Amino acid sequence: MSSDSIHLVLDFDGTLTTSSTLSLIYNIGHRLNPSCPSWQSISQAYVDDFNSMKTTSMVKPTTLLQALQRLESLRAIEYRSIARVEATKVFRGVNIEILHAAAEKALRDAELEMRDGWQKLVGMVMKGEGKVGVVSVGWSGDFIRSCLHASLERVRAAEQDSDWDGRVNLPLIDVRANNIIGGDEGKMDRYWRAATSDDKSQILTAEDKLRVMKDIVDMDDVKGSRPLVVYVGDSTTDLECLLHADVGICLRDEAASMTWEQRELQEILDQAGIDCRWVGSMDGGDLEMRPLRSIDGGVYHSQTWWARDFDEICQSLLFRN
């Protein structure tokens, strides 16, 4: 199986980057509007809300169905968090130019780190005329695009002789995320142009990310008559995409330095009995006969993969001619 039959979809925070960007994005607005509440107070309000719900109604999931239900139950918490941020008007006056400059500065000052090798992976897929998408529950698609642009420019400057960087056509990377409108009110948009949390208007949960992934790549055709859909993620908000993609790859740091998001995802897969093997052990049969299985009333792939970095994915059977 070679890259000419691959459509690639990636998570952003923790996958393309090494950590969450929410605090960075919030502080972009806070620098413009310093009288607004600090990031610490906003994040503590989220933790308090989460702990309150956890105490009253959440139990540790022991099945895949329970895990998916728990993830979807977080929608109300995420929506209230967005509402709290909007109420502060912290993003008043924030525009694309400010976000772009902030992304460049964050990379330059090492406040933000992009994972090595993403450009090579994207370039290999684009060389084979495959689609590339990014799906995020984050707050700013414009910030994501700016990070990708700044990161690519830094690599191109350092590797003038690279034979893959010219294949990365940034405008063709389909970035789907919430966005900051800014203006006088400092609002964020509604991805599906709806008004309330009940009609699932923003990208907030694992279910939302799956809806977007299916919009980016056509997954309705029978496997074998369409490109192979590969999803790469690192946390529980990626769970639905990982289980519905033809090849779902969990990005994991070395065991001693795995993030809590990576560990939580690993725990859910283990409890659900979903096999997760190292991507370097993939063989032809895994791609041609990937098993579908009924789990807790839903049909999912019962095989996932893990990789330490993007280079391991590039060196896997997915890209071996």
Side-chain angles (χ1 to χ4, degrees):
M1 188 67 63
S2 62
S3 60
D4 59 2
S5 57
I6 288 177
H7 284 351
L8 173 69
V9 185
L10 303 126
D11 169 53
F12 187 68
D13 283 21
T15 299
L16 281 163
T17 71
T18 58
S19 59
S20 171
T21 61
L22 287 184
S23 62
L24 279 173
I25 294 172
Y26 186 87
N27 286 324
I28 292 169
H30 196 265
R31 284 192 289 271
L32 282 179
N33 303 288
S35 62
C36 292
S38 68
W39 168 250
Q40 287 73 17
S41 66
I42 292 293
S43 59
Q44 186 59 54
Y46 179 92
V47 171
D48 292 343
D49 197 5
F50 178 85
N51 286 338
S52 175
M53 185 173 181
K54 184 177 180 181
T55 300
T56 58
S57 62
M58 295 178 76
V59 295
K60 188 172 183 178
T62 57
T63 68
L64 178 60
L65 177 61
Q66 290 176 352
L68 294 174
Q69 289 174 336
R70 177 181 177 180
L71 290 173
E72 186 56 25
S73 73
L74 297 177
R75 177 179 301 281
I77 294 176
E78 300 296 340
Y79 191 81
R80 288 195 292 270
S81 176
I82 294 288
R84 278 193 297 271
V85 171
E86 286 186 323
T88 69
K89 298 187 177 182
V90 70
F91 293 129
R92 185 172 50 225
V94 173
N95 56 36
I96 292 177
E97 290 75 20
I98 290 172
L99 290 166
H100 185 75
E104 289 185 329
K105 181 179 185 301
L107 285 168
R108 184 174 63 248
D109 297 347
E111 297 175 291
L112 171 64
E113 183 179 355
M114 301 288 289
R115 290 189 186 273
D116 292 337
W118 75 264
Q119 303 94 335
K120 182 177 181 180
L121 177 61
V122 169
M124 292 173 76
V125 172
M126 287 189 168
K127 179 185 178 184
E129 299 184 358
K131 291 181 181 177
V132 178
V134 176
V135 182
S136 175
V137 296
W139 292 346
S140 176
D142 290 328
F143 184 78
I144 291 173
R145 294 181 190 91
S146 295
C147 289
L148 296 175
H149 177 270
S151 174
L152 184 60
E153 290 304 306
R154 288 166 63 87
V155 171
R156 282 177 172 167
E159 301 182 17
Q160 294 293 335
D161 296 328
S162 172
D163 62 352
W164 52 260
D165 59 3
R167 302 173 191 150
V168 180
N169 188 339
L170 283 174
L172 294 183
I173 299 179
D174 192 351
V175 177
R176 307 288 184 95
N178 306 297
N179 242 325
I180 295 169
I181 299 174
D184 293 334
E185 297 298 316
K187 294 285 188 180
M188 283 180 269
D189 69 1
R190 303 298 187 261
Y191 181 82
W192 282 289
R193 304 302 175 195
T196 70
S197 60
D198 293 334
D199 45 25
K200 303 179 180 180
S201 59
Q202 293 175 308
I203 307 175
L204 302 176
T205 66
E207 180 183 289
D208 295 334
K209 293 181 82 168
L210 176 60
R211 292 167 69 194
V212 177
M213 181 178 79
K214 288 182 175 180
D215 190 41
I216 293 175
V217 294
D218 184 4
M219 299 184 66
D220 292 331
D221 293 336
V222 177
K223 183 183 171 186
S225 63
R226 59 167 172 77
L228 196 72
V229 177
V230 177
Y231 186 87
V232 186
D234 74 299
S235 72
T236 55
T237 61
D238 301 306
L239 182 59
E240 293 257 27
C241 291
L242 289 166
L243 295 179
H244 283 84
D246 297 314
V247 177
I249 303 174
C250 308
L251 209 59
R252 296 177 180 173
D253 296 318
E254 295 288 350
S257 56
M258 281 177 66
T259 65
W260 69 266
E261 293 95 342
Q262 293 169 356
R263 292 187 187 280
E264 185 180 27
L265 177 58
Q266 180 183 25
E267 185 176 297
I268 288 175
L269 293 174
D270 289 345
Q271 289 171 340
I274 295 172
D275 190 24
C276 192
R277 289 164 43 201
W278 178 51
V279 72
S281 67
M282 186 182 293
D283 61 37
D286 293 317
L287 297 183
E288 300 303 328
M289 301 179 62
R290 187 145 183 265
L292 285 170
R293 177 171 141 202
S294 178
I295 306 175
D296 293 336
V299 178
Y300 307 97
H301 289 298
S302 58
Q303 175 70 63
T304 55
W305 307 89
W306 66 269
R308 282 175 286 253
D309 52 43
F310 289 118
D311 282 338
E312 288 190 341
I313 300 173
C314 291
Q315 294 165 15
S316 74
L317 186 66
L318 288 167
F319 294 96
R320 212 171 293 161
N321 292 319

